[in-house]
Amino acid sequence: MNHRCPPEVCPGCARIDGVELTRCTSRVTTWKCARCTTEWAISVVNPHLRPDHPATFAAAVEQLSTARGLLRQVITLAEDSPTITEVELWSRLVALDECAR
């Protein structure tokens, strides 16, 4: 099932609480409001125009991979800090800062 967030408010009572996803396919998503019993659906008119979610996930995975690499370098630097000079520590910190940006 493709989970999507419900709309901000129920079109029947204009409330958020009580809105629940009832059905979700590649073309139609339906919701129901437990407060006022309104049921509604949203249909994708042109499914080929939907955003490419796998590309979004791939970009997020790449960003996380980069962040993990930087974190590994920070941990290594913390472990090395007792054995290196203060000048070397600061230069490595500056280099990590530049990589992060």
Side-chain angles (χ1 to χ4, degrees), residues 4-97:
R4 284 179 238 148
C5 295
E8 290 185 19
V9 295
C10 167
C13 65
R15 304 266 320 231
I16 296 173
D17 56 323
V19 173
E20 58 187 50
L21 183 68
T22 56
R23 182 170 178 246
C24 186
T25 68
S26 62
R27 293 182 170 252
V28 178
T29 304
T30 61
W31 292 275
K32 180 179 181 180
C33 178
R35 296 183 69 79
C36 70
T37 67
T38 299
E39 295 182 22
W40 69 101
I42 295 178
S43 173
V44 178
V45 177
N46 295 317
H48 64 282
L49 297 177
R50 292 177 65 186
D52 186 16
H53 294 293
T56 305
F57 292 140
V61 167
E62 183 178 338
Q63 289 177 344
L64 287 172
S65 178
T66 301
R68 278 179 30 187
L70 285 171
L71 183 57
R72 265 190 246 113
Q73 291 180 33
V74 168
I75 291 169
T76 301
L77 181 58
E79 291 170 349
D80 292 348
S81 66
T83 61
I84 60 176
T85 66
E86 191 172 324
V87 172
E88 187 178 352
L89 176 66
W90 279 105
S91 67
R92 286 172 63 181
L93 281 172
V94 168
L96 283 172
D97 181 53

